[in-house]
Amino acid sequence: MTSPLPSLPAASVLDLAPVVPVVVIEDAADAVPLARALVAGGLSAIEVTLRTPAALDAIRAVAAEVADAVVGAGTVLTPQQVTDSVAAGARFLVSPGWTDALLESMRASGVPFLPGVSTTSEVVALLERGVREMKFFPAQAAGGTAYLKCLAGPLPQARFCPTGGIGPHNAPEYLSLPNVGCVGGTWMLPADAVAARDWGRIETLAREAAGLRRSG
């Protein structure tokens, strides 16, 4: 068995940073320098999506070599992926949606998790199951800030990390909402910068993202 992971440096994944970078790693060798650039820019919570064969190796490398990073696994779809991600060193889990089987697996993993929702009924179903922190996805397509404002009245106990269609132009509006703890995005990871391994540019963009704060 693996030893328990260190506790998070905040009470919740939603409180680690205003922005969680959503990272797609094609080459595991890029994971550590990319994570170091994000951390240097002030973004310590890093979601590595399980969309590529390199993802688990990337999580393993960041967990082992970037002490200040809080690396998590995203696009978690199955109980097996939950097991594999935690074994690789993931300290939180994010899914685009949820089923009872996936939810129970994430709950049993012992690490924080954000199951995905896009409707009021899904939010109510999770609250019924004792889950109060969720991913709102796809945020813009599902109604954006207007939808989240409507949820805040009847369901104030639910908190969200909206992801999908969010960039520096609209992130502050999301972050100003009382039921939003952070947002997820990829804008600090432009494809050309990653391909060129321009870690300095990524650090600069990460620093700008980390500077986003609530406006109200």
Side-chain angles (χ1 to χ4, degrees):
M1 294 180 63
T2 57
S3 59
L5 293 169
S7 60
L8 294 178
S12 163
V13 174
L14 298 183
D15 298 324
L16 288 173
V19 178
V20 176
V22 180
V23 181
V24 180
I25 295 286
E26 299 290 347
D27 184 346
D30 292 336
V32 167
L34 188 152
R36 285 176 175 157
L38 292 172
V39 170
L43 300 181
S44 60
I46 302 169
E47 176 188 336
V48 176
T49 68
L50 302 182
R51 301 180 193 176
T52 68
L56 289 174
D57 285 339
I59 291 170
R60 193 172 292 110
V62 174
E65 299 183 44
V66 189
D68 293 331
V70 180
V71 64
T75 321
V76 177
L77 302 175
T78 68
Q80 186 61 53
Q81 288 181 325
V82 170
T83 300
D84 293 343
S85 297
V86 174
R91 295 173 65 187
F92 64 92
L93 305 167
V94 184
S95 66
W98 65 277
T99 65
D100 281 320
L102 179 59
L103 184 67
E104 288 313 305
S105 180
M106 290 193 293
R107 195 195 302 272
S109 72
V111 302
F113 56 91
L114 298 174
V117 297
S118 60
T119 69
T120 305
S121 293
E122 290 172 323
V123 176
V124 171
L126 284 178
L127 291 174
E128 186 178 78
R129 289 160 173 79
V131 178
R132 295 189 175 191
E133 297 188 344
M134 312 166 195
K135 172 177 177 172
F136 180 56
F137 175 82
Q140 282 293 97
T145 55
Y147 196 98
L148 289 170
K149 287 176 184 177
C150 291
L151 291 180
L155 303 171
Q157 65 270 54
R159 296 181 72 215
F160 302 95
C161 174
T163 306
I166 297 176
H169 61 291
N170 60 1
E173 184 179 1
Y174 278 95
L175 291 168
S176 72
L177 301 179
N179 57 350
V180 169
C182 63
V183 300
T186 61
W187 73 87
M188 71 297 301
L189 299 161
D192 59 336
V194 176
R197 295 177 170 82
D198 188 348
W199 312 129
R201 180 182 171 197
I202 289 172
E203 179 181 337
T204 297
L205 293 171
R207 185 170 292 108
E208 293 171 357
L212 296 173
R213 291 291 184 265
R214 296 179 184 276
S215 60

